[in-house]
Amino acid sequence: MCGIVGYIGERQAQPILLNCLGRLEYRGYDSCGIAVLSSGIEVYKDAIRVEALAKVAPQLGGTVGVGHTRWATHGEPSQLNAHPHCDCSGNIAVVHNGVVTNSQSLKKQLTSEGHNFVSETDTEAIPHLIEKYYDGNLEEAVEAALRDVDGSYAIIVLAAGEPRLVAARKDSPLIIGIGDRENFIASDVPAILDYTNRVIYLEDGDIGVITKDNIKVRRNGTEVDRKEHEILWSIEDAQKGGYEHFMLKEIHEQPRVIRDTLGEWVSIGEPAVDLAVMMRTGLEALLLLACGTSYHAALIGKYIVEELVGIPVRVELASEFNYSGQTLVKTGAIVITQSGETADTLKAVKRLKEVGCQVLAITNVVGSTASRIADQTVYTRAGPEICVAATKSFIAQLMVLYWLVMSYSKAEARRLASLLTELRHLPSKVQQVLDNEDTILECANYLSRYENMLFIGRGINFPVALEGALKLKEISYIHAEGYAAGELKHGPFALLGGDTPVVAILAHDNTYEAMLTNIKEVKARKSPLVALAEEGDEAIGELADFVITVPRVDAIFSPVVNSVALQLLAYYIAKQRDCPIDFPRNLAKSVTVE
Ligand code: AGP
């Protein structure tokens, strides 16, 4: 998820582009750049924040230009990989948000036709394709180029000698801001609200041709009408997409995040990383390492591997692992870290590398330290996660684990085929959980007055109980603990009573009956009982004081729908208690100290 902007008018483009980009940094901030058309196209870009670029960039004269703030997906944050990207002649500059899934084959083809590439990005294929088809009509060249592109894109094209900007979108947002003798193009509304609140939303497949006095939208070669909308949001609201908090916005982004994270693999049916390479080199076991929410993803990973691969898996808290006296043996290790900068996790990677372990990193940040020091890296495609409490990155980590393991699993083909079908439907199942928000809000109102709470689950939903408790702790300051349900009778039962509600997480697997028993034991000790149960579960209604229903999925995927419901529950309880949800006290998004 990057931010792109374009300006065409009578004012100097540079300051406007930089201001618009600054408003889009919540979409990505690891590098940025601008290109302005004067006699030719001048480009200035680097792996720095927009504010820094504004300080160091030379004055690029011109009233037409494009800009980009990046969230790296292909190629580390660097000056070369930053956008805009140009063709061989430097006469065509492109800014892009999205992923060109066939960039490798396009670049190979274009190289054989004499084009020369300088970056590691997928995007660079686009300006070279436009150059290939350009015969004096820019929008036709863009149309022809996009016919060769697979994947998602929002692009803005600037070309020397062309008094217009051409913009196009497919599966990435793009809007046009209408001004007076000037027009704006941007990934999202916040970018342009300083200048206008009149916008046109481009639709998938649209190509916009924008001059300072005119906006034309074409589709399959013919002109189409697009309605003008008046925006009444403040910039801050707009950055949150109209949601009150980044956390709620990020929770609602999860169907897209699942599609984006699985996108390339599911569409080309290729394993993300050949676990076999790690497995077949005589490894005795698989070690999963992480901290906080990522550790809970690792715990769920253990259940997935043990069910679908059947090899023993050890899961370690990185902060504990670093001081354990255990003798490290050569093993395959997977470290999970959203930020890629968590000190405890990085220290563990270094320890593992010292004894020759193969380390695979699952991270959300391209170019992060973890991605540099690990042997291999698989990226989640959650986009920037602004809220301190991790939500979408957690679900994206689970998607990577499912795909890694399913790609390697020797489980029965029919089972794998049905799991693959379910995986493809997970975005819509998660959407069903989000659509049931009102029920969860009601439950939150019921629970928000309590100062203590327990979460219980069994099997693959035990880590979900831990994660549910962590989310609630982080943002509502309620003292919440997650427990394996079978553990309650070994001590925590002492906490039960009218002032300690219990949230029980059920799934239709071999733990279901045992969970029902635990729920009866909790009820017998007078604790208010909230159950997270699948639709159509008759039995639980009689037992629980409140039931949150989630869609039916294969038990191995139940952590996904259950976790999203618990994220919403924590959010609405914290909101009810008026907590600073996005930036809770005493916490940092990335813990870079031990
Ligand atoms: C989760 O909501 C917290 N932000 C925290 O527990 C986090 O998961 C932990 O610090 C690990 O961060 P990482 O995934 O960036 O390594």
Side-chain angles (χ1 to χ4, degrees):
M1 192 161 99
C2 306
I4 68 175
V5 293
Y7 172 77
I8 183 161
E10 295 174 354
R11 295 192 267 177
Q12 283 302 303
Q14 181 165 340
I16 294 173
L17 294 171
L18 292 169
N19 182 53
C20 295
L21 285 177
R23 299 283 186 209
L24 288 180
E25 275 199 314
Y26 67 95
R27 301 177 60 87
Y29 43 75
D30 59 39
S31 47
C32 60
I34 55 172
V36 175
L37 177 61
S38 48
S39 50
I41 292 180
E42 291 186 278
V43 176
Y44 195 86
K45 58 183 183 172
D46 205 347
I48 52 179
R49 301 284 299 256
V50 173
E51 202 182 339
L53 192 92
K55 289 204 183 85
V56 295
Q59 284 308 312
L60 307 178
T63 60
V64 188
V66 295
H68 185 275
T69 180
R70 186 171 188 234
W71 181 258
T73 58
H74 293 69
E76 293 189 347
S78 67
Q79 200 263 343
L80 267 182
N81 290 335
H83 298 210
H85 287 286
C86 296
D87 65 328
C88 300
S89 66
N91 290 334
I92 294 170
V94 171
V95 288
H96 169 228
N97 169 37
V99 175
V100 178
T101 52
N102 61 337
S103 61
Q104 281 181 348
S105 56
L106 288 173
K107 281 179 148 180
K108 204 151 154 259
Q109 173 62 32
L110 289 161
T111 304
S112 69
E113 295 166 10
H115 290 260
N116 175 34
F117 292 93
V118 295
S119 81
E120 301 160 281
T121 67
D122 53 320
T123 299
E124 200 185 354
I126 301 176
H128 286 269
L129 275 175
I130 297 170
E131 179 185 25
K132 174 179 173 180
Y133 293 113
Y134 188 70
D135 64 352
N137 181 317
L138 185 60
E139 62 257 35
E140 281 176 8
V142 172
E143 241 164 14
L146 293 176
R147 277 195 283 275
D148 294 351
V149 170
D150 294 341
S152 61
Y153 55 78
I155 61 169
I156 309 171
V157 183
L158 174 71
E162 288 276 353
R164 63 181 66 88
L165 291 173
V166 174
R169 68 154 289 179
K170 176 178 163 290
D171 298 337
S172 284
L174 201 59
I175 62 150
I176 299 174
I178 305 163
D180 180 15
R181 295 197 315 284
E182 59 185 5
N183 287 310
F184 307 81
I185 309 161
S187 294
D188 205 348
V189 170
I192 54 128
L193 281 181
D194 284 322
Y195 308 100
T196 176
N197 67 349
R198 298 165 55 208
V199 304
I200 289 173
Y201 290 92
L202 287 182
E203 294 176 16
D204 277 352
D206 284 358
I207 295 208
V209 183
I210 300 101
T211 68
K212 72 180 180 62
D213 302 308
N214 183 271
I215 296 168
K216 210 171 48 182
V217 181
R218 290 155 52 105
R219 190 182 184 77
N220 305 328
T222 46
E223 228 171 292
V224 290
D225 258 342
R226 291 288 172 251
K227 190 165 167 295
E228 178 181 323
H229 299 259
E230 187 191 3
I231 304 292
L232 304 170
W233 285 339
S234 71
I235 288 180
E236 211 219 13
D237 286 350
Q239 285 173 332
K240 293 176 190 152
Y243 292 97
E244 192 177 345
H245 294 97
F246 278 111
M247 183 175 182
L248 191 60
K249 176 181 178 241
E250 289 160 3
I251 290 174
H252 279 265
E253 284 177 353
Q254 295 182 109
R256 175 191 58 77
V257 165
I258 292 174
R259 273 191 292 276
D260 286 358
T261 298
L262 293 173
E264 285 169 79
W265 307 323
V266 167
S267 60
I268 53 182
E270 288 224 355
V273 156
D274 198 337
L275 266 186
V277 176
M278 292 179 74
M279 300 283 187
R280 285 211 193 100
T281 45
L283 301 172
E284 288 82 25
L286 184 62
L287 174 62
L288 295 174
L289 264 151
C291 301
T293 288
S294 298
Y295 171 74
H296 296 150
L299 283 175
I300 293 169
K302 171 181 168 64
Y303 290 88
I304 302 169
V305 174
E306 288 178 347
E307 182 182 333
L308 294 180
V309 180
I311 64 159
V313 177
R314 237 168 0 105
V315 183
E316 300 254 4
L317 277 167
S319 52
E320 279 303 301
F321 175 80
N322 293 333
Y323 294 92
S324 72
Q326 63 183 282
T327 323
L328 287 186
V329 290
K330 191 171 168 219
T331 178
I334 298 181
V335 298
I336 305 178
T337 165
Q338 186 283 130
S339 60
E341 303 299 346
T342 300
D344 292 322
T345 306
L346 298 180
K347 186 170 179 175
V349 174
K350 290 172 188 144
R351 285 195 73 210
L352 290 164
K353 302 280 307 154
E354 278 154 20
V355 293
C357 291
Q358 277 273 334
V359 178
L360 167 69
I362 298 176
T363 184
N364 194 43
V365 181
V366 174
S368 59
T369 308
S371 70
R372 293 165 194 278
I373 62 175
D375 297 291
Q376 298 184 64
T377 301
V378 177
Y379 292 109
T380 52
R381 302 247 187 252
E385 191 170 60
I386 309 296
C387 175
V388 168
T391 53
K392 60 178 181 173
S393 62
F394 172 66
I395 295 298
Q397 288 163 353
L398 297 186
M399 291 310 117
V400 172
L401 289 165
Y402 285 127
W403 188 252
L404 275 178
V405 177
M406 283 167 63
S407 314
Y408 177 71
S409 170
K410 301 284 174 285
E412 196 245 321
R414 230 169 21 165
R415 169 97 175 112
L416 284 177
S418 86
L419 289 179
L420 185 57
T421 311
E422 280 232 18
L423 197 60
R424 288 205 173 100
H425 293 120
L426 269 184
S428 59
K429 297 282 180 175
V430 167
Q431 191 55 53
Q432 284 177 47
V433 177
L434 299 172
D435 297 343
N436 185 26
E437 204 161 1
D438 294 349
T439 311
I440 299 174
L441 172 57
E442 214 186 308
C443 181
N445 295 343
Y446 167 67
L447 288 173
S448 58
R449 64 178 178 277
Y450 294 98
E451 293 306 328
N452 301 290
M453 214 171 293
L454 300 184
F455 289 71
I456 59 172
R458 277 180 180 265
I460 199 168
N461 282 292
F462 161 43
V464 175
L466 296 174
E467 178 57 11
L470 178 62
K471 283 287 97 60
L472 192 63
K473 267 186 282 230
E474 283 186 276
I475 63 172
S476 75
Y477 310 151
I478 289 175
H479 180 204
E481 292 301 338
Y483 278 100
E487 265 306 288
L488 285 190
K489 54 187 174 295
H490 302 292
F493 262 1
L495 296 172
L496 298 185
D499 54 6
T500 306
V502 173
V503 178
I505 303 147
L506 293 110
H508 271 80
D509 58 12
N510 58 358
T511 69
Y512 183 76
E513 294 307 325
M515 275 303 290
L516 284 186
T517 308
N518 296 133
I519 287 170
K520 292 174 188 147
E521 292 162 348
V522 167
K523 285 306 299 169
R525 290 161 181 77
K526 305 276 177 281
S527 270
L529 194 281
V530 170
L532 222 62
E534 278 184 359
E535 62 207 356
D537 184 327
E538 308 301 328
I540 197 64
E542 273 120 57
L543 289 170
D545 301 296
F546 203 103
V547 178
I548 296 175
T549 303
V550 294
R552 181 175 284 270
V553 293
D554 186 291
I556 202 167
F557 295 129
S558 59
V560 178
V561 287
N562 289 335
S563 300
V564 174
L566 293 179
Q567 292 165 356
L568 282 171
L569 185 65
Y571 173 80
Y572 283 112
I573 291 175
K575 190 162 180 298
Q576 193 66 20
R577 295 163 69 98
D578 219 7
C579 296
I581 288 172
D582 282 336
F583 305 102
R585 68 186 181 207
N586 307 337
L587 295 180
K589 182 65 187 168
S590 178
V591 184
T592 54
V593 291
E594 261 197 278

